[in-house]
């Protein structure tokens, strides 16, 4: 029985409800009256149910699909403006005891180079990332209670936050580690993490158990209920995701929205972010062996429909995707991207050839961060390294309240301008500085609140004089 308020995974992600939803969407994919009603509701910018959103995803009426894309672009602009937040993944260890068939970290892979960073190596990696200009990281490990216990993760977080190199500092550490206990989530919260991220991979229980044949990750309920435990442990912000290509994309789309509805129903706050990775080639992994792959057009529609359905949620696209694909998705809903990323353990500081054999997946967009920043600016986006909401306590329901009222720009726009100025002064090439300083001047003049505008202009000047880390 479907019950979004239940904390039982098979009730808030009901297989029967998803099948009924997909049937309903298929039967109504050309129902013009219904589709118009759903679109009118979507224009209120309060979101859609998983069933309503599934109808839009299935829609085959060309002019209505064009309307879906235009509405996604408008909602993206209304909530997030032209800001794009930058981050980088930091892989600490690829030791893993699970048997996930789509991941090269799986226990039976004997060809991958197994590596675990020492605290000194983590320090070197962080300094290399700071020298690129990064301010927020997403740390990643395989699941291995011996090699990667929670104590190792906590020590690593402390190391990362402790490093101040030149003008560099990591101001937000997001964490993507295996499902764990309420007690361990409480320890992560006390360590000062930002968002806890965990990809469901697939919401189809039968497929999930087949794709995770061995190891603790095989337990579907324990994995799916992890976000409940994280919130019970005090973590305000959680990030959802599925790995598109493992199961029917329509099934996953309905499942991830049901998960968002569950978090909203039980905790009063939905996911802080939703990630939309597609399965990619990796050591011993051929994505063509999975028969649920999606092309770029379907991928774009998924992003557009998620943006319409959960307008308050940040959307993440990584360097798994190509430059061209990322460019298309930015306007449709994506608000965070990685740049200059390495998915290998020890890939940033003095990388060795064998490090590439420790990577989790192949990177498609291999451009350095400076090129990505300039690319964004030249397209009219405002790259942001802002972490002020986290450091100012605007997290969880406090962030969502501001975001749902479409007022977050009063905080994010000033901070984006100031953190971009920091980046340009400290790290950017002359070519990037030229286009970046011009953008900042133009965007600062557009600030509507005179008090905020005055303060921002003063702080932009102070950044040139060597002061750092201003925030609203």
């Amino acid at each position: 029985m479907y019950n979004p308020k239940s904390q039982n995974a098979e009730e808030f992600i009901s297989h029967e409800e998803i099948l009924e939803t997909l049937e309903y969407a298929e039967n109504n994919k050309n129902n013009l009256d219904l589709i118009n009603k759903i679109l009118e509701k979507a224009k209120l910018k309060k979101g859609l149910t998983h069933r309503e959103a599934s109808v839009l995803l299935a829609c085959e009426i060309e002019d209505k699909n064009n309307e879906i894309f235009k509405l996604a672009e408008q909602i993206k602009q209304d909530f997030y403006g032209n800001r794009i937040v930058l981050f980088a993944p930091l892989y600490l260890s690829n030791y893993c005891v699970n048997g996930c068939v789509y991941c090269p970290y799986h226990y039976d892979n004997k060809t991958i180079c197994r590596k675990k960073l020492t605290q000194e190596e983590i320090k070197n990696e962080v300094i290399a990332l700071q020298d690129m200009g990064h301010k927020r990281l997403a740390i990643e490990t395989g699941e291995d209670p011996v090699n990667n216990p929670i104590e190792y993760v906590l020590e690593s977080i402390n190391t990362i936050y402790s490093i101040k190199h030149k003008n560099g500092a990591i101001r937000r550490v997001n964490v993507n580690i295996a499902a764990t206990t309420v007690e361990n989530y409480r320890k992560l919260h006390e360590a000062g993490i930002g968002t806890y991220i965990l990809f469901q991979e697939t919401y189809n229980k039968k497929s999930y158990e087949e794709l995770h044949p061995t190891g603790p990750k095989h337990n579907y309920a324990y994995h799916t209920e992890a976000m409940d435990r994280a919130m019970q442990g005090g973590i305000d912000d959680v990030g959802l995701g599925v790995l598109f290509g493992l199961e029917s994309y329509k099934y996953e789309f309905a499942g991830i929205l049901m998960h968002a509805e569950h978090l909203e129903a039980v905790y009063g706050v939905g996911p802080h972010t939703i990630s939309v990775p597609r399965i990619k080639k990796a050591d011993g992994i051929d994505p063509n062996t999975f028969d649920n792959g999606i092309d770029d057009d379907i991928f774009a529609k998924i992003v557009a429909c998620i943006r319409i359905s959960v307008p308050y949620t940040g959307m993440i696209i990584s360097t798994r995707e190509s430059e061209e694909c990322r460019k298309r998705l930015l306007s449709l809903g994506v608000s965070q991207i990685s740049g200059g990323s390495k998915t290998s353990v020890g890939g940033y500081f003095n990388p060795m050839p064998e490090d590439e054999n420790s990577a989790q997946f192949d990177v498609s967009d291999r451009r350095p961060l400076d090129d990505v920043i300039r690319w964004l600016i030249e397209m009219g986006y405002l790259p942001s390294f802002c972490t002020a909401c986290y450091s100012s306590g605007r997290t969880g329901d406090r962030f969502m309240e501001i975001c749902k009222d479409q007022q977050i720009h009063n905080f994010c726009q000033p901070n984006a301008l100031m953190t971009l100025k920091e980046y340009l002064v400290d790290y950017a090439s002359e070519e990037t500085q030229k286009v970046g300083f011009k953008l900042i001047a133009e965007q600062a003049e557009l600030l509507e609140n005179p008090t905020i505008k005055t303060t921002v202009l003063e702080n932009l000047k102070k950044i040139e004089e060597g002061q750092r880390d201003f925030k609203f």
Side-chain angles (χ1 to χ4, degrees):
M1 178 182 295
Y2 175 53
N3 180 6
K5 291 187 176 183
S6 170
Q7 293 184 38
N8 181 315
E10 292 186 59
E11 292 181 4
F12 66 78
I13 306 293
S14 165
H15 178 65
E16 291 74 18
E17 170 61 21
I18 293 180
L19 294 183
E20 289 176 11
T21 293
L22 300 188
E23 182 180 10
Y24 178 80
E26 179 67 20
N27 291 338
N28 288 283
K29 63 186 180 184
N30 292 307
N31 185 335
L32 184 59
D33 289 341
L34 178 61
I35 291 168
N36 281 333
K37 287 179 182 178
I38 295 173
L39 284 170
E40 286 304 308
K41 179 181 176 181
K43 290 173 184 176
L44 299 175
K45 304 170 191 173
K46 302 296 183 183
L48 298 174
T49 68
H50 64 275
R51 187 164 288 206
E52 292 165 337
S54 293
V55 172
L56 295 188
L57 184 64
C59 174
E60 293 183 338
I61 305 171
E62 184 175 358
D63 64 332
K64 293 293 115 178
N65 282 332
N66 291 334
E67 191 173 340
I68 290 168
F69 284 114
K70 288 179 181 177
L71 180 56
E73 291 176 355
Q74 185 61 54
I75 289 175
K76 163 70 187 307
Q77 184 63 34
D78 290 344
F79 280 82
Y80 291 94
N82 65 340
R83 299 178 302 278
I84 302 295
V85 171
L86 278 298
F87 74 96
L90 174 58
Y91 283 76
L92 303 181
S93 170
N94 62 6
Y95 284 94
C96 193
V97 298
N98 289 310
C100 315
V101 303
Y102 54 83
C103 178
Y105 288 5
H106 67 84
Y107 181 76
D108 289 331
N109 188 348
K110 305 305 181 186
T111 62
I112 194 170
C113 176
R114 299 288 179 179
K115 258 184 110 171
K116 173 186 175 181
L117 298 181
T118 66
Q119 296 306 307
E120 185 63 26
E121 288 171 329
I122 290 172
K123 179 180 177 181
N124 291 334
E125 290 288 287
V126 170
I127 289 173
L129 285 157
Q130 289 175 350
D131 282 344
M132 291 166 60
H134 278 294
K135 303 298 183 188
R136 67 165 71 196
L137 303 180
I139 62 172
E140 322 256 355
T141 71
E143 182 170 11
D144 187 325
V146 174
N147 287 293
N148 312 327
I150 191 66
E151 291 76 16
Y152 171 68
V153 175
L154 295 170
E155 183 183 9
S156 300
I157 292 169
N158 183 63
T159 296
I160 292 167
Y161 277 139
S162 72
I163 299 165
K164 306 294 185 279
H165 173 69
K166 297 179 181 179
N167 287 326
I170 301 303
R171 299 170 182 164
R172 179 177 177 121
V173 176
N174 297 332
V175 174
N176 184 352
I177 64 170
T180 186
T181 63
V182 172
E183 180 183 359
N184 284 344
Y185 285 124
R186 189 170 292 114
K187 291 177 181 178
L188 289 170
H189 173 62
E190 292 168 354
I193 73 164
T195 304
Y196 172 68
I197 302 163
L198 183 67
F199 294 171
Q200 179 62 29
E201 319 300 3
T202 176
Y203 283 99
N204 185 307
K205 184 174 185 287
K206 181 175 182 294
S207 296
Y208 180 95
E209 291 175 344
E210 292 172 351
L211 291 162
H212 307 93
T214 59
K217 196 169 179 178
H218 177 75
N219 188 328
Y220 174 84
Y222 190 76
H223 187 86
T224 312
E225 295 161 8
M227 295 310 185
D228 292 78
R229 296 193 300 279
M231 288 191 161
Q232 291 160 15
I235 294 177
D236 290 326
D237 295 331
V238 298
L240 305 180
V242 293
L243 185 55
F244 284 102
L246 298 180
E247 179 54 72
S248 159
Y249 71 89
K250 294 180 179 179
Y251 192 104
E252 307 295 17
F253 177 83
I256 204 165
L257 291 184
M258 289 167 71
H259 204 163
E261 290 166 358
H262 163 69
L263 296 176
E264 188 85 49
V266 177
Y267 303 100
V269 54
H272 190 71
T273 58
I274 289 178
S275 299
V276 285
R278 288 189 287 185
I279 190 167
K280 293 291 180 177
K281 186 178 184 300
D283 184 81
I285 306 298
D286 180 1
N288 294 322
T289 61
F290 300 90
D291 57 6
N292 287 294
I294 53 174
D295 62 29
D296 288 353
D297 289 338
I298 291 174
F299 196 33
K301 193 173 184 186
I302 290 170
V303 169
C305 288
I306 291 175
R307 173 49 62 224
I308 289 170
S309 304
V310 279
Y312 57 83
T313 294
M315 290 186 68
I316 300 175
I317 196 78
S318 76
T319 48
R320 285 174 181 260
E321 300 298 338
S322 68
E323 173 184 341
E324 189 58 35
C325 179
R326 300 215 297 175
K327 177 181 178 180
R328 182 179 184 184
L329 299 182
L330 284 171
S331 65
L332 295 175
V334 167
S335 57
Q336 295 187 28
I337 65 171
S338 51
S341 301
K342 300 288 186 179
T343 67
S344 52
V345 181
Y348 295 106
F349 176 78
N350 193 27
M352 304 299 288
E354 61 267 23
D355 289 335
E356 287 303 313
N357 192 34
S358 70
Q360 189 179 33
F361 56 84
D362 285 358
V363 171
S364 296
D365 188 346
R366 294 178 174 270
R367 294 173 296 167
L369 180 62
D370 191 73
D371 288 359
V372 174
I373 296 296
R374 188 169 61 254
W375 170 69
L376 289 170
I377 292 170
E378 289 173 344
M379 291 191 295
Y381 292 106
L382 176 61
S384 174
F385 294 88
C386 176
T387 60
C389 282
Y390 162 68
S391 58
S392 300
R394 289 189 296 269
T395 58
D397 56 357
R398 297 171 293 286
F399 172 85
M400 287 301 177
E401 182 180 356
I402 299 170
C403 191
K404 288 178 180 180
D405 287 341
Q406 298 177 51
Q407 297 300 313
I408 199 67
H409 65 275
N410 290 326
F411 301 97
C412 293
Q413 194 75 3
N415 288 309
L417 291 169
M418 291 185 288
T419 57
L420 177 59
K421 185 66 174 280
E422 287 181 318
Y423 172 82
L424 294 173
V425 170
D426 292 340
Y427 306 106
S429 64
E430 289 185 11
E431 188 178 359
T432 301
Q433 284 181 337
K434 182 178 179 180
V435 295
F437 289 145
K438 181 175 183 291
L439 176 68
I440 288 173
E442 293 171 348
Q443 294 289 306
E445 285 301 318
L446 295 175
L447 293 172
E448 297 177 357
N449 185 302
T451 302
I452 291 177
K453 182 176 180 179
T454 298
T455 303
V456 168
L457 291 173
E458 290 174 352
N459 287 345
L460 290 172
K461 182 65 175 174
K462 289 177 180 178
I463 289 169
E464 291 182 14
E465 298 168 352
Q467 298 186 47
R468 295 292 181 271
D469 197 14
F470 296 99
K471 56 182 177 291
F472 278 83

